[in-house]
Amino acid sequence: MDNIEKIEAEESSIDFKKIFNDLLKHKRLYYKVLPIAFVLAAIYALSKPNFYSCTVKLSPELSSSRTSSSLASLASSFGFNLGSGSGSAGMGSEALFPTLYPDLMNSTDFKTTLFDVPVTIEGNKKKGEKDRTMSYYDYLSKEQKKTWWSAAIGGTMKAIIGLFTDKKEKEEESLDPFRLTKKQAAIVKALDKMVVCDVDKKTMVITIDVTDQNAVICAMMADTVKTRLQKFITDYRTSKARVDLEYSQKLYGEAKARYDKARRLYADFVDHNQDIMLETVRMRQTELENEMQLQYNAYQQVATQLLAAEAKVQQETPAFTTLQSATVPVQKKGPKRAQMCLIFVFLAFLGTTAWILYKEDDLKPLLGMS
């Protein structure tokens, strides 16, 4: 009972009427702070460039061996790979599991492959501007809009650095993923936020989201990233099968050459010895005929292996179903300027209120301080 009475006494010590009157007493401060906060918020929001977002969704092919096991499906929903007991193309034999695709796209090797993608900036036809085509790297490094304070700081820093560097020294622009330049590393870091890949662990649906300041380039790069990812996965899945195919093609060419040689020798020998009935001639003819037959059998066997290797490549080539194609976004995704202004004004209101309560010594009762 004593604790309850103590709490009630502390609550009764808070004079809400006094607090309200103190806030009203400084209402002119709100009239000054809130408009200034709104103007600053508007300047900040209007300085942020517009950006668009394009999303592509893919569903990779899953063979029956991958979907037949309910335990493996349950494990995959938690991100685990139990593998497969068979030697077929199951989960256990595939090192590049779909849940690793985001890590693949976040790698420097994959991001740098996007540098040479040609993009086109559409010119304003009314002003007589022509379309400009450049690499994606040049577009990101030269054509990206920045806020006025970022441009001012960047220009100042560039001028200061230029005073202490030799103008004749030029930074190498050759691309080496092992040793990127500062400029290239900055572009790769920017791509980490602009190109995002996510995989649903239950359905294995691949979602690729690309953000850019240009709506057309945004859709173009989303489709390009999808194509590059498909190609990389296809090359990986069929790498061993393609090596086997190349070896089979080599054996096929050698076997065919040996068979053609044996066939020509046999034909030439028969043509030159048609009227000769010597036993040695017949024995030589039989030897050549047997040799030709052996080479033919080897040729047929290798040809069968070649067909099997070609079928294996086709079998290992994954199929992708496009659930959502890349389209040019009509509306911008951000920035949400109205929301920014409301947040700024609300924070300014809270800050002003806290300052008034502190000045009028009303914070201590609210915070339970003696």
Side-chain angles (χ1 to χ4, degrees):
M1 294 294 294
D2 294 339
N3 294 333
I4 296 176
E5 292 177 356
K6 184 177 181 181
I7 294 174
E8 291 178 351
E10 290 178 353
E11 291 179 351
S12 61
S13 64
I14 301 176
D15 191 350
F16 290 101
K17 184 176 181 180
K18 178 179 180 303
I19 293 175
F20 181 72
N21 291 331
D22 290 340
L23 294 178
L24 285 179
K25 185 170 60 175
H26 295 276
K27 62 182 179 180
R28 291 186 178 180
L29 184 61
Y30 287 106
Y31 298 156
K32 297 177 181 178
V33 173
L34 296 185
I36 294 175
F38 177 79
V39 172
L40 294 177
I43 295 174
Y44 174 81
L46 292 174
S47 300
K48 302 284 287 184
N50 295 334
F51 61 89
Y52 302 84
S53 178
C54 181
T55 302
V56 176
K57 291 186 177 181
L58 295 174
S59 178
E61 176 191 39
L62 295 177
S63 62
S64 59
S65 62
R66 299 180 188 176
T67 57
S68 59
S69 173
S70 59
L71 181 60
S73 300
L74 179 61
S76 66
S77 65
F78 293 97
F80 295 102
N81 181 11
L82 295 183
S84 176
S86 63
S88 60
M91 290 182 184
S93 62
E94 183 179 357
L96 191 62
F97 197 60
T99 52
L100 297 179
Y101 293 167
D103 296 328
L104 164 67
M105 291 188 57
N106 288 331
S107 65
T108 302
D109 291 336
F110 186 86
K111 293 291 177 63
T112 52
T113 61
L114 302 177
F115 283 3
D116 61 347
V117 176
V119 296
T120 301
I121 301 178
E122 296 181 349
N124 192 334
K125 306 300 181 182
K126 295 181 179 180
K127 296 182 180 180
E129 297 178 354
K130 296 182 180 179
D131 297 343
R132 293 180 295 155
T133 302
M134 63 188 69
S135 66
Y136 191 50
Y137 175 81
D138 291 336
Y139 166 74
L140 292 178
S141 60
K142 300 177 182 178
E143 300 295 332
Q144 289 291 286
K145 297 179 181 178
K146 300 179 181 179
T147 56
W148 58 268
W149 59 86
S150 297
I153 295 174
T156 303
M157 293 299 297
K158 187 176 180 181
I160 295 175
I161 295 174
L163 295 176
F164 300 96
T165 57
D166 189 358
K167 295 182 179 181
K168 295 182 179 179
E169 295 180 359
K170 293 184 178 180
E171 188 179 25
E172 293 291 336
E173 292 296 335
S174 59
L175 179 61
D176 182 10
F178 180 74
R179 179 176 293 179
L180 297 175
T181 64
K182 292 183 179 180
K183 187 176 180 181
Q184 292 168 349
I187 298 297
V188 170
K189 187 176 180 180
L191 286 174
D192 291 338
K193 299 179 180 179
M194 298 176 62
V195 180
V196 179
C197 177
D198 183 51
V199 177
D200 192 318
K201 295 180 180 179
K202 294 183 178 180
T203 62
M204 294 302 165
V205 173
I206 307 169
T207 302
I208 300 173
D209 187 75
V210 177
T211 304
D212 199 275
Q213 296 179 4
N214 188 298
V216 178
I217 294 179
C218 178
M220 184 187 307
M221 290 307 302
D223 186 70
T224 301
V225 170
K226 178 196 73 171
T227 304
R228 294 288 176 94
L229 181 62
Q230 289 177 335
K231 184 179 183 303
F232 184 91
I233 297 171
T234 299
D235 292 342
Y236 173 84
R237 289 278 303 276
T238 61
S239 59
K240 185 179 183 303
R242 284 185 287 107
V243 170
D244 294 341
L245 176 60
E246 292 177 1
Y247 182 68
S248 296
Q249 290 174 339
K250 178 183 177 182
L251 293 180
Y252 175 81
E254 294 174 352
K256 189 175 185 302
R258 289 194 299 267
Y259 169 65
D260 290 340
K261 181 179 179 181
R263 184 166 54 85
R264 286 194 301 268
L265 289 175
Y266 175 76
D268 291 341
F269 185 83
V270 172
D271 290 341
H272 290 83
N273 298 277
Q274 289 183 355
D275 299 330
I276 301 175
M277 303 301 293
L278 296 176
E279 189 65 24
T280 54
V281 174
R282 292 181 180 179
M283 289 178 60
R284 180 57 180 167
Q285 181 177 346
T286 303
E287 291 176 358
L288 292 175
E289 184 177 0
N290 292 338
E291 179 66 20
M292 180 184 67
Q293 188 63 38
L294 288 174
Q295 296 300 334
Y296 176 75
N297 293 338
Y299 168 71
Q300 286 290 98
Q301 184 178 1
V302 173
T304 303
Q305 293 177 356
L306 177 60
L307 292 176
E310 292 175 347
K312 184 66 174 178
V313 172
Q314 181 63 30
Q315 179 184 355
E316 292 294 331
T317 301
F320 294 88
T321 301
T322 302
L323 303 179
Q324 181 175 333
S325 302
T327 56
V328 178
V330 179
Q331 296 181 346
K332 66 181 180 66
K333 187 177 180 180
K336 298 178 180 178
R337 296 186 173 90
Q339 184 177 353
M340 288 182 181
C341 292
L342 289 176
I343 293 175
F344 266 78
V345 172
F346 179 71
L347 292 177
F349 175 81
L350 291 181
T352 304
T353 302
W355 185 84
I356 294 173
L357 294 178
Y358 172 77
K359 183 178 180 180
E360 298 294 336
D361 203 20
D362 293 330
L363 282 179
K364 292 182 179 179
L366 290 176
L367 299 176
M369 301 172 61
S370 58

